[in-house]
Amino acid sequence: MSGLANVEYTGVRELRGPLVVVEGVSGVGWDEFATIVLGSGERRHGLVLEVDRDLAVVQVLEDTAGMDRIGTRVAFSGTPLRIPVGNGWLGRVCNGRGEPADGGPPVLGGSYAAVGGAPINPARRETPDEPVLTGVGAVDVLTTLVRGQKLPVFSAAGLPHLELAVQIAAQATCGGEAFAVVFAGMGLTHADAAFVRDGLAARSAARELVLVVNTADDPVIERLLTPRLALTVAEHLAFVEGRHVLVVMTDMTAYAEALREVSAARGEIPARRAYPGYLYSDLASLYERCGKIKGRPGSVTVLPVLTMPAGDITHPVPDLTGYITEGQIVLSAEVHAAGTYPPVDPLASLSRLMRKGAGPGRTRADHPAVAAQLIAALARSRQVRELADLIGRSALSPTDLRHLDLEDAFRNRFLAQETDENRSLEESLDRAWEVLLTLPRSQLGMIPADLLDTHAPPQDGEPP
């Protein structure tokens, strides 16, 4: 963190939750970085949330516990919070304020960047058109992640979303090009934080990982800073150092809860479910920092993970996230209860940019057709299963029974995967073909005939 203190103010009017209200200030601006010195000499840090005439509201990153109005001094730097950026972050583990949590020295960089960041000019955005392969078959084949895309994972309590996030962060690649992962954990338990560190140890040792972890007992304000710090580091690695960077952020619901808590402390008028009215714009200020810039190397791809309270997809956090992002990967409690990992619901999941990053020259020529046919077949299988529940399997036609077989084959042969299994795209597509060939050729009308002839030659007595 940077910022040189000049004038110190001692007029602390109020301590309110994580906030300090300072009076008698002049020349202080919004988002300015502040240094707070307690009577004991302890130094804390904060950001200016609001300025009204001679009053400044400062959010304290380390919280206000143990502070006293008397004897507390506040100095404002005159600039927003800035952090060092560069390759020095690779291989490091830090807390949500960017301070080392791995026993190493402070992170150094050749330059500093403002944590608040800036949106990419739409005129300079480049259309995402290359895949990021995750090694997870259900994601790579059915909801392909594209460089520069923002694709969230919608989950619920009790589902293995953290395992999936760590697996993707550990396995993701960009076709042999320079690559890095920035993993931002928000509100994690200590057990979850240890799981993340262990699962990503190999990538960290290879200096391809930046790990920023905010635990559940860390100050709530730090939770708001964590994703911004992670994105600032990622932007420099991408647009200056030329790497393709995947930013995994979990759990965005914990982030939104922190935002709601700070909003309540500020006395703001609540909106839907007590979240602040600016929740949409605040989430957008994070998600929209991904992309590719014309004339610049590298890309920033964002994979936010969020838990839907009570599995409610209309809850404000997933609802607003769905408006901003380009699709979603939805995890299913029903699939998880059946013992299948990853418990992805293919019919609820979608990658709106998949067509840009899949097909000849990018993944495999048969990829788009196979993915479309598999989704259509699964939709029909679900209809047949509901029909079977009403009238019984004995009343189904032979083709309907084949669709039930396809649903079982999909879960067992295609979807099911170990948490440390890095499955190649070739193998995933071959497994997709194996599942599709559970059906007769007559039911595969979305696949061109030449592809069918290659992968499923007509059998005796079967029409081509």
Side-chain angles (χ1 to χ4, degrees):
M1 298 178 184
S2 69
L4 300 175
N6 296 317
V7 179
E8 289 188 336
Y9 296 90
T10 58
V12 176
R13 172 186 285 191
E14 184 181 358
L15 300 174
R16 186 170 67 231
L19 306 180
V20 174
V21 180
V22 187
E23 61 184 357
V25 304
S26 63
V28 175
W30 176 81
D31 209 27
E32 197 167 317
F33 183 60
T35 301
I36 303 150
V37 182
L38 279 60
S40 63
E42 179 188 351
R43 299 172 74 87
R44 299 187 185 181
H45 307 90
L47 298 173
V48 176
L49 280 184
E50 186 177 344
V51 178
D52 183 10
R53 293 183 291 275
D54 68 336
L55 292 179
V57 179
V58 180
Q59 58 180 7
V60 184
L61 301 182
E62 297 89 349
D63 213 340
T64 58
M67 289 180 62
D68 191 337
R69 289 196 310 112
I70 308 301
T72 296
R73 309 189 307 275
V74 183
F76 300 94
S77 66
T79 62
L81 174 61
R82 299 169 70 82
I83 59 168
V85 289
N87 286 324
W89 285 92
L90 295 170
R92 299 302 304 273
V93 181
C94 296
N95 64 18
R97 300 190 302 276
E99 298 170 346
D102 53 9
V107 177
L108 301 177
S111 60
Y112 282 78
V115 170
I120 299 175
N121 186 335
R124 294 199 61 199
R125 278 189 180 273
E126 196 171 301
T127 304
D129 60 358
E130 293 288 341
V132 176
L133 297 180
T134 66
V136 178
V139 175
D140 290 344
V141 173
L142 299 179
T143 56
T144 308
L145 183 60
V146 183
R147 298 177 200 176
Q149 183 179 11
K150 40 194 179 293
L151 184 66
V153 176
F154 287 1
S155 184
L159 298 184
H161 47 270
L162 187 62
E163 288 86 341
L164 181 60
V166 169
Q167 183 176 12
I168 290 174
Q171 298 177 174
T173 58
C174 265
E177 297 187 45
F179 187 70
V181 174
V182 178
F183 193 103
M186 291 159 280
L188 301 181
T189 64
H190 286 279
D192 285 344
F195 172 77
V196 170
R197 291 184 68 162
D198 291 343
L200 298 177
R203 178 139 257 174
S204 182
R207 288 182 54 82
E208 294 180 342
L209 175 77
V210 181
L211 184 54
V212 185
V213 178
N214 163 265
T215 56
D217 56 351
D218 284 333
V220 67
I221 294 296
E222 185 181 298
R223 207 158 300 152
L224 302 182
L225 185 61
T226 301
R228 289 176 168 80
L229 186 146
L231 286 163
T232 302
V233 172
E235 287 168 344
H236 185 88
L237 290 173
F239 304 133
V240 178
E241 304 291 342
R243 291 175 179 262
H244 296 289
V245 184
L246 173 64
V247 183
V248 180
M249 303 190 297
T250 181
D251 177 346
M252 292 305 298
T253 303
Y255 170 87
E257 296 290 344
L259 193 68
R260 178 165 63 179
E261 185 175 333
V262 172
S263 174
R266 293 175 66 182
E268 295 173 336
I269 298 173
R272 188 160 56 130
R273 299 210 190 181
Y275 288 99
Y278 51 81
L279 177 62
Y280 178 90
S281 59
D282 191 277
L283 290 174
S285 72
L286 298 176
Y287 299 149
E288 292 291 353
R289 289 174 70 175
C290 71
K292 296 170 65 179
I293 300 177
K294 293 177 182 177
R296 292 279 190 94
S299 62
V300 175
T301 306
V302 173
L303 188 82
V305 182
L306 57 90
T307 49
M308 302 177 289
D312 181 12
I313 203 168
T314 66
H315 183 274
V317 180
D319 187 32
L320 297 177
T321 295
Y323 278 115
I324 302 165
T325 54
E326 294 134 356
Q328 67 278 330
I329 299 169
V330 179
L331 303 189
S332 164
E334 179 186 355
V335 177
H336 180 60
T340 301
Y341 173 88
V344 174
D345 182 348
L347 299 186
S349 302
L350 169 71
S351 171
R352 294 191 180 95
L353 297 183
M354 176 176 167
R355 291 280 173 176
K356 300 284 187 181
R362 292 181 173 83
T363 52
R364 209 168 81 175
D366 60 338
H367 183 179
V370 167
Q373 182 65 76
L374 189 54
I375 291 294
L378 288 169
R380 176 59 184 158
S381 296
R382 185 167 296 184
Q383 291 177 335
V384 171
R385 176 157 56 89
E386 292 170 354
L387 183 62
D389 291 341
L390 290 174
I391 64 175
R393 287 180 65 102
S394 59
L396 298 178
S397 69
T399 300
D400 286 343
L401 292 173
R402 297 278 284 272
H403 274 95
L404 292 182
D405 293 339
L406 176 133
E407 191 174 40
D408 293 336
F410 173 79
R411 284 193 181 178
N412 298 327
R413 290 292 302 143
F414 179 82
L415 186 58
Q417 187 171 340
E418 297 297 325
T419 55
D420 59 352
E421 179 185 350
N422 191 351
R423 188 177 291 173
S424 70
L425 180 65
E426 291 288 329
E427 181 183 352
S428 295
L429 284 169
D430 290 344
R431 285 173 177 258
W433 271 108
E434 184 180 332
V435 171
L436 284 174
L437 295 181
T438 306
L439 300 176
R441 280 177 57 116
S442 60
Q443 297 298 307
L444 305 178
M446 299 180 71
I447 298 181
D450 58 331
L451 288 177
L452 277 177
D453 291 340
T454 301
H455 293 271
Q459 304 295 318
D460 292 338
E462 184 180 17

